[in-house]
Amino acid sequence: MVITFISIFAIGIVAGVVGAILGLGGGIIIVPALTLGFGMPMRTAVAASTVCIIATSTGAAVAFLRDRLTNTRVAIWLEMGTSLGALTGALAAALVNQRVLFVLFGLLLAYSAYNMFRTRKEHARPEVVPDAISRKLRLGGSYYDKALGRRVEYQVTRTLPGLIIMYFSGAAAGLLGIGAGIFKVPAMDQVMGMPFKASSATSNFMIGVTAASGAVVYFARGDVKPLVAGPVVLGVLLGAILGARLMMRMPAGRIRLFFMPILAYTAIEMIYKGVKWW
Amino acid sequence: MVVGIDPEDKAAVHPIELVLARLLRLGSMVAAALLAVGIALMVFGHTGFAPRLITVGLLVLLGTPVMRVVAAAIIFVKERDWHFALFSLVVLCALAVGIYFGKGM
């Protein structure tokens, strides 16, 4: 038992570090590790992974908030989209064809992976001009980038398209059980013109809230097994604290480089899932 | 804390981040402590009590982001930032409805 605890705990640490750096929930590591590595049922793994999303978000957010990497105003604006989307997704889950959605969302991710690859040189970006909502709500921000050794000021644009994408990302999370951060980071980075590190930190901050409403369902159903979730969540918490510190010192370009293959992999996996069932 | 300069500067030293950071740190530390003690007890053979302690730790963690939205809403109301107070309220309502329906599933 002790060995199992320690190995689950270690998986948690890895998932926490990766999740905190990339602004994702870490489910991409935890779910396969628990099901394939430990032969646990899918429901147990997904329930544990949902609580882990909260752990990543909470653990990493402390450091990100202190360094102002998290844009709380953008986060709250976009959380309206994710939370309403998640609600719609959960309610509509019985009505829609999941296969079509997997393919659609997979294609969307593939497109954003391509787009991220195309615009991988951060400095080659055009100046971001804030739109009316962004100006009115003062969404622009600044943070001190430890990797660059200087303060980065930025503006936010296309706030409404961003909100709409968040709505669908929330719906995808509710319908397909994926997409904690994988849609949010590209939406802020590619659509709203935010710097990659601010996008990742803000995504990290937001995913905890979306996951909380899902986690309640898993708790109510009794899918959260304390002996599985306990060690992995503890590992994720510590990993996320560590990951947040690492991320603040990493150059944005390198984080992006890590993000792209994961994005591409998830896209392929989703399209495959959708096509396989036909 | 620097106050009373122009609105641009005020946004830059906005204390909301620090308040939320403190709240999230408290939540994650309490949760981590409960989980660690629970797992340790489990290893030493207290198989009856330990899982319950771990569950409490997980529930504390689960409550933390919800408390974070509540705290943000209170801060925005205090600062008369009505737009963001409203946005926080929308998020809270969606969460509440989601939890209400979710429990029934």
Side-chain angles (χ1 to χ4, degrees):
Chain A
M1 186 184 69
V2 177
I3 310 257
T4 316
F5 273 1
I6 292 173
S7 16
I8 298 180
F9 177 73
I11 292 166
I13 293 184
V14 174
V17 170
V18 174
I21 292 174
L22 301 179
L24 309 174
I28 196 165
I29 294 171
I30 291 163
V31 175
L34 291 183
T35 50
L36 303 177
F38 292 88
M40 286 174 192
M42 195 66 186
R43 285 176 72 150
T44 311
V46 171
S49 146
T50 306
V51 185
C52 287
I53 297 175
I54 306 175
T56 312
S57 173
T58 311
V62 179
F64 289 155
L65 280 166
R66 264 206 221 109
D67 278 39
R68 305 292 155 83
L69 213 53
T70 312
N71 190 325
T72 42
R73 296 174 84 82
V74 169
I76 288 162
W77 165 255
L78 295 179
E79 266 167 15
M80 283 198 293
T82 51
S83 56
L84 290 173
L87 191 60
T88 324
L91 296 179
L95 306 173
V96 295
N97 187 336
Q98 290 202 334
R99 280 167 279 180
V100 177
L101 281 177
F102 267 118
V103 174
L104 275 179
F105 280 111
L107 289 173
L108 193 69
L109 284 185
Y111 175 72
S112 62
Y114 162 74
N115 219 16
M116 201 173 270
F117 180 74
R118 207 171 43 93
T119 56
R120 63 193 175 283
K121 297 267 180 284
E122 189 109 358
H123 59 261
R125 286 191 179 196
E127 186 80 15
V128 174
V129 181
D131 61 6
I133 298 173
S134 172
R135 272 200 302 273
K136 186 164 170 49
L137 298 177
R138 289 188 283 119
L139 292 182
S142 71
Y143 66 93
Y144 182 79
D145 193 321
K146 283 181 180 157
L148 295 174
R150 63 172 169 86
R151 184 154 279 281
V152 176
E153 304 242 356
Y154 62 90
Q155 282 300 337
V156 181
T157 188
R158 287 192 285 266
T159 41
L160 223 44
L163 185 67
I164 293 167
I165 294 173
M166 289 300 158
Y167 175 82
F168 285 104
S169 105
L175 284 169
L176 309 176
I178 49 95
I182 203 104
F183 292 105
K184 295 183 177 72
V185 179
M188 282 182 267
D189 171 65
Q190 304 290 316
V191 178
M192 299 173 73
M194 285 168 65
F196 195 83
K197 286 170 95 166
S199 306
S200 168
T202 306
S203 162
N204 229 312
F205 186 70
M206 291 167 48
I207 58 181
V209 173
T210 322
S213 61
V216 170
V217 179
Y218 292 122
F219 261 105
R221 281 187 197 152
D223 288 344
V224 181
K225 305 278 182 252
L227 298 187
V228 178
V232 72
V233 167
L234 187 62
V236 168
L237 258 178
L238 299 178
I241 293 168
L242 182 71
R245 272 153 216 262
L246 284 174
M247 186 271 221
M248 292 190 293
R249 285 179 176 77
M250 278 168 90
R254 194 177 305 160
I255 303 174
R256 211 185 253 267
L257 218 59
F258 283 127
F259 194 89
M260 279 188 280
I262 292 189
L263 197 58
Y265 167 77
T266 315
I268 293 167
E269 199 203 4
M270 285 179 70
I271 295 171
Y272 175 72
K273 250 187 198 164
V275 174
K276 184 181 64 175
W277 290 343
W278 257 318
Chain B
M1 197 83 247
V2 191
V3 257
I5 353 171
D6 69 277
E8 295 299 320
D9 256 326
K10 208 178 149 198
V13 289
H14 212 289
I16 182 167
E17 281 84 8
L18 297 183
V19 178
L20 298 183
R22 219 171 293 153
L23 179 81
L24 294 181
R25 192 181 49 183
L26 181 72
S28 49
M29 274 166 67
V30 171
L34 288 167
L35 291 177
V37 174
I39 292 166
L41 287 177
M42 194 69 206
V43 171
F44 291 115
H46 295 265
T47 46
F49 176 62
R52 258 175 273 168
L53 201 63
I54 296 175
T55 306
V56 174
L58 295 174
L59 285 172
V60 169
L61 190 67
L62 173 63
T64 307
V66 183
M67 287 312 294
R68 190 266 281 170
V69 183
V70 175
I74 294 171
I75 294 170
F76 287 128
V77 169
K78 268 193 182 162
E79 297 190 338
R80 301 175 174 278
D81 199 334
W82 302 120
H83 284 116
F84 280 89
L86 177 72
F87 300 160
S88 309
L89 195 68
V90 171
V91 176
L92 271 180
C93 288
L95 272 178
V97 176
I99 288 168
Y100 177 78
F101 277 111
K103 274 188 162 171
M105 284 199 314

